Amino acid sequence: MNTFGTRLKFTSFGESHGMAIGCVIDGMPAGVKFDEEFLQKELDKRKPGKNTFSTPRKESDRAQILSGVFEGFTTAAPIAIVIFNENAHSKDYENIKDLFRPAHADFTYFHKFGIRDYRGGGRSSARESAARVAAGAVAAMLLKEFEIEVQSGIFSVGAINSKLDSAEFDFDFAQKSEIFCLDPKLEEEFKQEILKAKKAKDSVGAGVYTRVKNAFAGLGEVLYDKLDSKLAHALMGINAVKAVEIGSGIKASQMKGSQNNDLMKDNVFLSNHSGGILGGISNGNLIETKTYFKPTPSIFLAQQTQNIAGENVLCELKGRHDPCVGVRGSVVATAMVRLVIADSLLLNASSKLEYLKKIYKLF
Amino acid sequence: MNTFGTRLKFTSFGESHGMAIGCVIDGMPAGVKFDEEFLQKELDKRKPGKNTFSTPRKESDRAQILSGVFEGFTTAAPIAIVIFNENAHSKDYENIKDLFRPAHADFTYFHKFGIRDYRGGGRSSARESAARVAAGAVAAMLLKEFEIEVQSGIFSVGAINSKLDSAEFDFDFAQKSEIFCLDPKLEEEFKQEILKAKKAKDSVGAGVYTRVKNAFAGLGEVLYDKLDSKLAHALMGINAVKAVEIGSGIKASQMKGSQNNDLMKDNVFLSNHSGGILGGISNGNLIETKTYFKPTPSIFLAQQTQNIAGENVLCELKGRHDPCVGVRGSVVATAMVRLVIADSLLLNASSKLEYLKKIYKLF
Amino acid sequence: MNTFGTRLKFTSFGESHGMAIGCVIDGMPAGVKFDEEFLQKELDKRKPGKNTFSTPRKESDRAQILSGVFEGFTTAAPIAIVIFNENAHSKDYENIKDLFRPAHADFTYFHKFGIRDYRGGGRSSARESAARVAAGAVAAMLLKEFEIEVQSGIFSVGAINSKLDSAEFDFDFAQKSEIFCLDPKLEEEFKQEILKAKKAKDSVGAGVYTRVKNAFAGLGEVLYDKLDSKLAHALMGINAVKAVEIGSGIKASQMKGSQNNDLMKDNVFLSNHSGGILGGISNGNLIETKTYFKPTPSIFLAQQTQNIAGENVLCELKGRHDPCVGVRGSVVATAMVRLVIADSLLLNASSKLEYLKKIYKLF
Amino acid sequence: MNTFGTRLKFTSFGESHGMAIGCVIDGMPAGVKFDEEFLQKELDKRKPGKNTFSTPRKESDRAQILSGVFEGFTTAAPIAIVIFNENAHSKDYENIKDLFRPAHADFTYFHKFGIRDYRGGGRSSARESAARVAAGAVAAMLLKEFEIEVQSGIFSVGAINSKLDSAEFDFDFAQKSEIFCLDPKLEEEFKQEILKAKKAKDSVGAGVYTRVKNAFAGLGEVLYDKLDSKLAHALMGINAVKAVEIGSGIKASQMKGSQNNDLMKDNVFLSNHSGGILGGISNGNLIETKTYFKPTPSIFLAQQTQNIAGENVLCELKGRHDPCVGVRGSVVATAMVRLVIADSLLLNASSKLEYLKKIYKLF
């Protein structure tokens, strides 16, 4: 299904080499200030072709708002955003028309649907993520009303891992860094690792850290729409993601309870191993997640594979690809987390009678 | 929300110390053989009080099927299963009525709802998971018709981690192991680690590996109900889970594309770093996940915390708790994966016209 | 599917001759006063065997609350209600095991599922509606907090139709009437019509009028979950319903715009042809619907039909059936409308930023 | 919410005077022949400005397919269709900016959202229905593969009602009739009634009959997504609809069981009072519904109303409006029924194990 979210729903459409990609965001409350400039800025972060660390394909990714906004505010009508594709190189894909690119969705889509749009990877292309970033930007407009902020950055590239504690990550630096690096000391090493892979016609993986500042306590719906469940669902669903951690993640499983439990004193949590989520609901602390991206499947080295007829063939890709998909993936991680938090904020509005009485003036 | 799934829906209800817990499974196709003995056997795996490695609370967990089954087969009507609670010790919870147990949902539930059932943790209690195991067993009855099998086991306890490759895990051994251990060489060390924590009035975390054998290619719905997304959602939603990996997980992010891509030759995948899922859809390979449990929050050491009035207090728990919640959690992991795979199997039935024509006899 | 509702979800389970019927209501906000006495009273209204105008089958319909209520208030956890079946006469159904009762779901269920529980009509039995009435009573507890009230009554039986305008219907009378009659002058005629049909081993249809008092303006979600859509969905879904009207209904189609438009003056609507709903959203006026029940399919006259083998056979029913299913159906209409209004009330909580700011104290 | 459907989902977006209207259809199985010419033809049926019986506003309603179709077949990716608005006369709405047009959604939208797009009625405008017609046309492409056909026509205008039995309605005639009239003898009277109302600056209501030919038995999901429920939901949700009947509708409530029950003999139903639906599931017979449209709210007579400030004012509309919205509404009725039937067809694919085994080749 192509719809994500429960109360704030996001439906995307469009293929990499089709006419356009876009999305419909449904459920935004009326009266939220709509910042089109901010939306475009977020899309630009994700845009390909900006530097040597991402794919050379150039798109301007200009968003057109088709509906749902009136005199600068949301109307509660669905917000449709369309981005017309400009720079599709279909002929780059001609030679791989009938074969299954390794580690791509070609094989699975073909088996599931019997049809696939081979050009540019169709729906499985990372270009579709522009729609997610647009939707995430809209969600951010709602979060902004409550000073809730979502930020992401890179903390590992390949086997190079930052030793910093998450509290030490430098988000100001990441904002200016071409690869959104959170550890200033490692930026050069990260860049070299990516260029090395690129030069070798290969690719490399990365780790993305995302945090949510100022989230209220109480977000998340028990038991099967818990906040951590929805975050995991959203993040694991990003192209190329293979692991998700909340708070201390895997390290938590290696600890004792006496070490892992976050104690409270004087209205403050003394630690945050939980990553801001307890029992699936936010506790008011910083929400912290880590998302791990595998290396870009599309590499330029020749690879052993098969084609539709079942014959063994060699796959030699052309086209323009990210050597490290996790870098731009961090922008998508931010977008997805924005959508989840905004959705939870809306759902939480009906969780207790006290809230309903405030709204309906009977308190 | 308390409903999980898209086509195969599972709604659970009941509190730890209420009269009963149970579930309603809706969407099972008619005509599936219903194996009540198997259902009870699965519940027994999860049952507390069986050995010294889990909580001493004794429950017989006898399931009663209230509807949806007729002459041994599913009718497509919703299947309601109820398990009456027998052994609730409410007075164990009297002394913690007004305080927030560290790392529990007490704090967040109180903030979200303004009311909480303090006895036994109410809805956040692990006992609710009996409902999930029951539902998972029903899903397994459908999977069995297609020889699809889901299995789980423990591969790490605390800081002790198996060095075996997942292909070497011993599931026969795990079936008989009291702690579902997948690495025979480590069973004794694992047990000692758990008992050590228990003796110290503490708890310890664990890692669970789950695999799906014989899953077809084609399962998973693009783009926002991908198989890996749904698995992450389901697994991260289990009590105490803090990280989920698919296939090579975090290791994938440390590799190069040339290392991580699974190549194909002679109709076989030469590796399985993807964990059986590409582009969010199964590729016919073994589906592999890892789920990481934090240590049980409930420990018997005194812990610093606060109460409802905002005062600093000491939390000294009574009651009966698992020293390592990941052990019985592995049974829940199996259940949740069963539900996801079965759901995907149903949804996939309408993915191509060819399928519909087979059903409606016009092919 | 067996789940109804968007934010306030209601899942029912159970068969007519199975062990029990019941429901799970999920989404009730925490803090609502739970009135168990009221719940039981509502069930008693619907109960069979009370008088000569309904089926002689006797059930006490005692509801057991399994979860979701704590110290007399809702906790936001799902509320499970179970009603154990007492008085099932399975042998009444032995002789019709293999044939399709005319106008029943036997034929369609058999074709859809290949299996059916012939005893008592399985899931299609009107007894399942006890679950709906229970859920509707819970929804009413929320509505009560806002003084919103839903009431139903009978305005037509067979071809006998009340001439009163809806504003003249007597609800106090209907409360005491054995057949919930809204027109005191017609009660005796209605009763005679039902008894006449019963005596002739036949059955007769009826028309139910339902109104909602004190509903706020603003309920209903555009565009595909409009209030009138949801009401139509809910009412048409009641066993034996064949038509639904909102406000002036069919009469509206026979009018001119100048006659049908409800004008406003001095903050009051000068008429209510819209039935309280404009553009799918409530306008604060009385919400009015009419639901039309076909005559009970189960009659004791011999009827021509076929059996599973395709042979022409005669259907001669035994058992105990309502001669006019619309009478007790009016209680179900009230229940379904309660669920829809309550659901809309919850959804509306996130429709504008102003509401969210009130809740989150930033206004 | 702006999404309709369970498995086949349809999300619409766009405002009457915004840049464009459109929709996303998600869930179409792969491999269905996509007929763009047919789609455009269906839109042309609904197009305004074609004759004197509808609004003079002229739009070409040219649909652009943005995604989901590849080499003439559906790919299972979402199908996005956009129709750019050409002929918006915003200044026609300037004078009514602050008042509530009688019988329009202005009042309710304003109360619900605090914001409304006054130009052309925003989201409540009938122009949005072009999106529904487009989506319905796509659904029809799936139905066509199974020879299932949905048709609609007018059987009443104002108080003039056809006396024909539904079996006598002339669909060939309706296809060519400017007002889709089903009763050749009444076409001239109907037209005169509409012109009379138009001349009087007024409007008039209408009744639409819709039938589904060749639907299989077995469509519809018990208990809360029954076919009749979904049809009622869909039809009642069309702008200006105030009543929906299935089969004999209200007449059924006036009959005896012995008259209303459809008997079976020699594998044929001897009547069709049920309208093709029993127990909420189709029985293979012709599916028949009637949808009743109130007269167009927008009339040119001066009407008493109020404005945002609560003052009594006179509403004098300009603009271009249908004198009988039911005429073009019949095209929308066809579209909505197509969507419901197609959705049910997809859902039914997983109703019994036998179907799944056919698909997965294990029968």
Side-chain angles (χ1 to χ4, degrees), chain B residues 53-215:
Chain B
F53 304 102
S54 68
T55 167
R57 171 175 175 166
K58 289 209 178 307
E59 290 275 356
S60 64
D61 276 356
R62 289 228 69 77
Q64 293 193 49
I65 318 294
L66 294 190
S67 61
V69 182
F70 179 61
E71 296 181 350
F73 287 87
T74 56
T75 64
I79 298 167
I81 301 176
V82 180
I83 302 170
F84 288 89
N85 285 330
E86 303 171 354
N87 197 353
H89 280 193
S90 293
K91 54 180 179 54
D92 284 339
Y93 291 86
E94 271 293 325
N95 72 320
I96 55 103
K97 204 169 127 162
D98 293 318
L99 59 76
F100 302 125
R101 289 170 295 168
H104 271 276
D106 301 355
F107 179 78
T108 49
Y109 271 48
F110 184 73
H111 270 262
K112 185 173 178 75
F113 300 123
I115 276 183
R116 76 174 184 90
D117 184 343
Y118 61 83
R119 306 164 301 165
R123 277 298 277 169
S124 66
S125 156
R127 234 185 104 48
E128 183 274 344
S129 63
R132 299 190 211 197
V133 172
V138 175
M141 296 176 202
L142 172 63
L143 299 182
K144 185 175 184 183
E145 300 275 357
F146 300 97
E147 291 172 36
I148 297 174
E149 208 185 335
V150 181
Q151 303 167 308
S152 298
I154 303 290
F155 69 89
S156 77
V157 170
I160 309 172
N161 214 312
S162 171
K163 298 285 176 285
L164 297 179
D165 186 83
S166 62
E168 302 172 287
F169 287 153
D170 191 335
F171 279 89
D172 293 329
F173 183 84
Q175 280 233 70
K176 309 189 196 79
S177 163
E178 281 175 296
I179 55 165
F180 312 120
C181 173
L182 286 166
D183 186 345
K185 294 218 181 89
L186 286 177
E187 199 202 26
E188 198 49 40
E189 263 192 83
F190 284 172
K191 285 180 165 180
Q192 288 311 318
E193 191 69 9
I194 296 174
L195 291 175
K196 205 173 75 178
K198 186 177 182 186
K199 206 171 234 190
K201 295 182 167 183
D202 209 335
S203 64
V204 68
V208 170
Y209 168 83
T210 307
R211 71 180 188 183
V212 184
K213 290 167 63 177
N214 303 328

Side-chain angles (χ1 to χ4, degrees), chain A residues 175-248:
Chain A
Q175 279 232 74
K176 309 189 197 79
S177 162
E178 281 176 294
I179 55 166
F180 310 120
C181 174
L182 286 166
D183 186 345
K185 294 219 182 85
L186 288 178
E187 199 201 25
E188 197 49 39
E189 263 191 83
F190 283 170
K191 285 179 165 179
Q192 288 311 316
E193 191 69 9
I194 296 174
L195 291 175
K196 205 174 74 177
K198 187 175 180 186
K199 205 171 234 187
K201 295 181 165 182
D202 210 337
S203 63
V204 67
V208 170
Y209 169 83
T210 307
R211 71 180 187 184
V212 184
K213 290 167 61 179
N214 304 329
F216 319 135
L219 302 180
E221 300 300 310
V222 291
L223 274 184
Y224 297 106
D225 245 7
K226 291 181 181 182
L227 195 59
D228 43 4
S229 282
K230 292 179 75 164
L231 287 169
H233 184 117
L235 294 168
M236 194 68 89
I238 299 174
N239 259 346
V241 171
K242 278 324 212 184
V244 176
E245 292 184 302
I246 306 279
S248 296

Side-chain angles (χ1 to χ4, degrees), chain A residues 117-189:
Chain A
D117 183 344
Y118 61 83
R119 307 164 301 164
R123 278 297 278 169
S124 67
S125 157
R127 234 187 104 48
E128 184 272 342
S129 63
R132 299 189 212 198
V133 172
V138 175
M141 296 175 201
L142 171 63
L143 298 182
K144 185 174 185 185
E145 299 275 358
F146 299 96
E147 292 172 35
I148 297 174
E149 207 185 334
V150 180
Q151 302 168 306
S152 298
I154 303 290
F155 70 89
S156 76
V157 170
I160 309 172
N161 214 310
S162 171
K163 299 284 176 286
L164 296 179
D165 185 83
S166 62
E168 302 173 287
F169 287 152
D170 190 334
F171 279 89
D172 292 329
F173 184 84
Q175 279 232 74
K176 309 189 197 79
S177 162
E178 281 176 294
I179 55 166
F180 310 120
C181 174
L182 286 166
D183 186 345
K185 294 219 182 85
L186 288 178
E187 199 201 25
E188 197 49 39
E189 263 191 83

Side-chain angles (χ1 to χ4, degrees), chain A residues 85-133:
Chain A
N85 286 329
E86 302 172 356
N87 197 352
H89 281 193
S90 292
K91 52 183 179 55
D92 285 338
Y93 291 87
E94 271 293 326
N95 72 319
I96 56 105
K97 205 169 129 166
D98 293 320
L99 60 76
F100 302 126
R101 289 170 297 169
H104 270 276
D106 300 352
F107 179 80
T108 49
Y109 270 47
F110 184 73
H111 270 263
K112 186 172 178 79
F113 300 123
I115 276 184
R116 78 171 183 91
D117 183 344
Y118 61 83
R119 307 164 301 164
R123 278 297 278 169
S124 67
S125 157
R127 234 187 104 48
E128 184 272 342
S129 63
R132 299 189 212 198
V133 172

